[in-house]
Amino acid sequence: MGSEKKWILKDPADPEKVGRLATELGIDRVLAELLVARGVNTFEEARSFFRPSLADLHDPFLMKDMDKAVERLHTAIAGGEKILVYGDYDVDGTTAVSLVYSYVKRFTSRVDFYIPDRYDEGYGVSYKGIDWASDSGFTLLITLDCGIKAIDKVAYAKGKGIDVIICDHHLPEESLPEAVAVLDPKREDCHYPFDDLCGCGVGFKLVQGYSMTYNVPFESLEPLLDLLVVSIASDLVTMVGENRVLAYYGLKRLNENPRKGLLALIALAKLEAGHVSIDDIVFKIGPRINAAGRMESGRLAVELLTAEDDTTAFEIGDEINDSNNERKNIDREITQEALEMVQNGTALASENVTIVYSPTWNKGVVGIVASRLVEAYYRPTVVLTKSNGFITGSARSVQGFDLYAAIESCADLLENFGGHVYAAGLTLKEENLKEFCRRMNGFVTSNLKPEVVVPVIELDSKLDFSQITPKFFRILKQFQPFGPGNSNPVFLTEDVYDGGNGRKVGAGGVHLKLDLMQESQPYRQIPAIGFNMAEFYDHIKAGNPVDVCYSVVENFYRGSSTIQLRIKDMREREEFL
């Protein structure tokens, strides 16, 4: 037994800086080290890190084309034009549509929203959507979380007398669509100071720009921030800079005064209202919103997120919750089938890249299944199914490997593709499948460094249990909201053992619940949970010591809060002897 993961202790930060900051702030050196590693070196920088301020948000007009977008939106509102807010069926798309739609609705009743059907229209702007807009008399289309590559479709809309404002955060290609305005901080010629906004974030900057120009008080935008934090957390954009400020206030809003639809989801997910964390959004709220677009229609998600009374919110919430349960069952079945394919050799590729295909799988869950296969085999993974006569699917990567580049190298074989470094979607003709697998395998084999396929746990610092005081934890909590670029610190404590109450918990007894103590201070016990770690039970139960790496979290149970260690990995002690 023992860990298959590699533990790497991060290089220590400059000791002089750490010592100075620890003294200035009156905090433990470990906390000061965490701050310096995050680029926080002075008292002032620490203050703005721990107390994010809405005054630190950037001027929306630093974004290229913002002036054109605001002006065109105003012309449409003032002239009584029909405005259509268009976005994808995932969390980022549906929250962005809900945000912009509910804002525009304050100024005109001539506004509607459109979410493409995942199965019929697929990802992004569709001809069907433009035809519907044209037939219904819309003259302005605002796209959210999509549109940056829709050159032909924007031209098609223009030919039907529809102007387009694009709000996107994906990487553009060489040329941009000929839209009235293209808001995308990743544009080469855009010098906006923060380029990792989510699609919903770009939508927020548009309404912020509009509000500044037409004297709408900023306070009236604050109710939109609960939507924004759901998107920032679910889309896994970096939790630094402007995103950190928006997520901080969004989380505050979500806990103190959330909109009715999100309140319904909090209740249905059995979360403790007022104590919802970024993790809760990622694992409980986001997947429920996504389930609407996977199983039913993304329209339902927008109807939920813009619901104005409790009854509607709970009715739609219930329906979405049922979809989520159905989604879980389907993704469990498909994951099982996919794992069996890899094990029995019927996968299309399983050496350096995992590629599995079945024409009968549900298109809505292939992304989730791809993530599960990455967890199981830790290889770049593509899961494919058949839809509308094409082979289509999702791909997921491992830390340190650019999957988007691998897919791009097969661009000539694909009908379309899009995404990021670690997650992408693609569509191809059946006759190109074999060649696609061959080339993907070749690309991954020649570009995947062997060290990348060993999962790594980066350890921020060694820690003694005696350092985990209430004050230490109080300050650690202020590092939140956690996310990429500001992840929950992982600590290493050596030579610990269970106080005697260790037991297996969860369905099938797969998790471990322990009370850990350190050899050097046998009187202090700290509760710990190790998900899917029952294999260590016998070793620990026999009183053997282990080394553990973990995050320190707050555990809410029936109204009371306690410190708990969430174990990431553990090792038998003798491995170090």
Side-chain angles (χ1 to χ4, degrees):
M1 189 177 62
S3 171
E4 288 163 23
K5 300 184 176 84
K6 192 172 178 187
W7 295 9
I8 296 178
L9 199 55
K10 288 182 188 168
D11 292 335
D14 176 341
E16 202 175 307
K17 281 184 183 170
V18 171
R20 198 169 53 238
L21 195 61
T23 309
E24 268 187 38
L25 299 174
I27 58 173
D28 190 294
R29 270 192 78 95
V30 168
L31 292 167
E33 175 132 9
L34 294 173
L35 286 170
V36 173
R38 282 160 174 70
V40 174
N41 297 305
T42 65
F43 185 86
E44 277 309 306
E45 287 170 347
R47 188 167 63 190
S48 75
F49 178 79
F50 285 132
R51 306 267 182 281
S53 162
L54 289 166
D56 295 338
L57 295 180
H58 302 301
D59 178 351
F61 291 95
L62 295 172
M63 198 179 288
K64 179 91 175 157
D65 278 4
M66 182 60 78
D67 47 348
K68 295 178 189 164
V70 166
E71 195 180 327
R72 181 64 187 90
L73 178 56
H74 186 66
T75 305
I77 289 172
E81 290 180 59
K82 286 184 82 176
I83 303 164
L84 187 62
V85 184
Y86 186 113
D88 266 312
Y89 37 69
D90 61 5
V91 179
D92 193 16
T94 52
T95 50
V97 166
S98 302
L99 186 148
V100 173
Y101 168 72
S102 54
Y103 177 81
V104 174
K105 213 166 67 165
R106 296 178 189 178
F107 308 100
T108 173
S109 59
R110 294 174 70 78
V111 58
D112 201 353
F113 63 87
Y114 188 97
I115 306 285
D117 181 277
R118 183 178 204 125
Y119 302 100
D120 180 27
E121 295 163 83
Y123 189 79
V125 184
S126 72
Y127 289 114
K128 184 179 172 182
I130 295 167
D131 286 342
W132 184 85
S134 169
D135 296 344
S136 312
F138 289 92
T139 48
L140 177 63
L141 181 67
I142 303 173
T143 75
L144 292 147
D145 188 35
C146 61
I148 197 68
K149 290 181 172 184
I151 295 170
D152 299 345
K153 301 196 175 112
V154 169
Y156 182 73
K158 205 172 172 181
K160 288 185 167 281
I162 300 173
D163 282 342
V164 181
I165 294 172
I166 292 170
C167 304
D168 203 346
H169 68 129
H170 295 94
L171 277 168
E173 294 188 327
E174 294 292 297
S175 51
L176 297 172
E178 287 191 15
V180 179
V182 178
L183 305 180
D184 187 334
K186 291 194 178 76
R187 276 178 73 161
E188 281 287 310
D189 58 352
C190 180
H191 304 299
Y192 190 71
F194 186 72
D195 72 353
D196 202 27
L197 290 168
C198 55
C200 188
V202 179
F204 181 78
K205 297 311 291 188
L206 172 61
V207 306
Q208 188 192 357
Y210 190 92
S211 299
M212 283 167 68
T213 308
Y214 296 102
N215 301 320
V216 180
F218 186 86
E219 294 74 55
S220 76
L221 299 184
E222 288 180 19
L224 301 170
L225 294 176
D226 56 359
L227 287 169
L228 192 44
V229 71
V230 168
S231 174
I232 289 171
S234 302
D235 221 47
L236 298 176
V237 285
T238 51
M239 198 61 85
V240 298
E242 195 163 35
N243 281 344
R244 180 178 162 81
V245 177
L246 292 166
Y248 178 88
Y249 285 96
L251 211 49
K252 203 168 150 55
R253 183 86 200 177
L254 186 64
N255 281 306
E256 289 170 8
N257 190 7
R259 65 193 47 238
K260 295 186 185 310
L262 288 173
L263 193 60
L265 287 183
I266 289 167
L268 287 160
K270 298 184 171 52
L271 294 171
E272 186 136 353
H275 297 292
V276 179
S277 68
I278 292 289
D279 269 2
D280 292 330
I281 297 173
V282 174
F283 296 112
K284 301 282 175 65
I285 295 174
R288 282 172 166 78
I289 295 173
N290 253 332
R294 292 180 197 284
M295 311 304 296
E296 289 274 337
S297 148
R299 267 197 83 84
L300 259 186
V302 179
E303 284 167 11
L304 173 75
L305 296 172
T306 54
E308 287 175 7
D309 64 278
D310 295 333
T311 316
T312 311
F314 269 91
E315 277 173 8
I316 303 173
D318 252 340
E319 199 173 330
I320 285 179
N321 205 41
D322 290 345
S323 288
N324 190 52
N325 291 331
E326 188 188 340
R327 188 265 315 159
K328 279 187 194 162
N329 293 333
I330 291 175
D331 98 52
R332 210 173 282 128
E333 283 166 27
I334 296 179
T335 302
Q336 206 43 55
E337 285 176 34
L339 288 168
E340 281 165 15
M341 281 181 179
V342 178
Q343 285 152 8
N344 66 25
T346 56
L348 299 179
S350 60
E351 195 179 343
N352 295 307
V353 59
T354 307
I355 305 179
V356 288
Y357 165 60
S358 164
T360 60
W361 287 340
N362 179 311
K363 185 182 167 188
V365 301
V366 290
I368 299 173
V369 174
S371 300
R372 301 255 196 278
L373 291 181
V374 171
E375 280 168 27
Y377 297 109
Y378 212 70
R379 297 280 182 277
T381 299
V382 186
V383 178
L384 300 166
T385 182
K386 199 164 192 176
S387 175
N388 295 341
F390 287 100
I391 289 189
T392 180
S394 288
R396 297 289 182 270
S397 194
V398 295
Q399 194 68 33
F401 181 74
D402 185 346
L403 180 76
Y404 190 78
I407 290 171
E408 204 166 27
S409 75
C410 304
D412 55 307
L413 300 171
L414 303 173
E415 297 303 300
N416 58 40
F417 65 96
H420 307 276
V421 175
Y422 293 124
L426 60 146
T427 302
L428 68 160
K429 289 180 176 154
E430 188 147 16
E431 60 259 31
N432 291 334
L433 180 60
K434 200 170 174 184
E435 179 61 10
F436 170 75
C437 294
R438 193 187 70 74
R439 285 203 351 220
M440 276 295 282
N441 208 20
F443 185 97
V444 175
T445 303
S446 47
N447 291 281
L448 188 68
K449 300 180 182 74
E451 64 271 20
V452 168
V453 295
V454 178
V456 167
I457 295 181
E458 288 198 326
L459 308 170
D460 289 88
S461 176
K462 283 188 174 182
L463 201 61
D464 275 338
F465 282 174
S466 59
Q467 289 170 279
I468 307 176
T469 61
K471 180 185 176 185
F472 177 92
F473 187 54
R474 195 172 66 245
I475 296 166
L476 187 63
K477 275 200 300 194
Q478 293 175 28
F479 277 69
Q480 294 177 17
F482 295 126
N486 178 39
S487 43
N488 198 345
V490 179
F491 302 109
L492 165 65
T493 303
E494 295 171 331
D495 207 8
V496 305
Y497 57 95
D498 178 60
N501 294 323
R503 60 192 189 280
K504 295 183 196 177
V505 295
V510 290
H511 312 311
L512 273 190
K513 203 157 175 15
L514 306 167
D515 288 313
L516 292 179
M517 43 214 284
Q518 211 170 350
E519 190 69 64
S520 54
Q521 324 141 39
Y523 305 111
R524 173 111 198 261
Q525 292 192 10
I526 304 186
I529 182 88
F531 292 111
N532 300 307
M533 291 196 181
E535 58 175 303
F536 290 96
Y537 177 75
D538 294 336
H539 178 80
I540 287 175
K541 204 60 191 157
N544 293 311
V546 288
D547 295 337
V548 289
C549 55
Y550 56 87
S551 291
V552 186
V553 298
E554 191 163 14
N555 187 35
F556 284 100
Y557 188 64
R558 295 190 177 154
S560 70
S561 144
T562 52
I563 290 178
Q564 187 183 54
L565 309 184
R566 186 173 294 163
I567 301 172
K568 298 268 180 196
D569 199 16
M570 62 171 90
R571 285 181 176 168
E572 295 182 15
R573 185 72 190 139
E574 54 267 27
E575 289 180 26
F576 283 103
L577 300 178

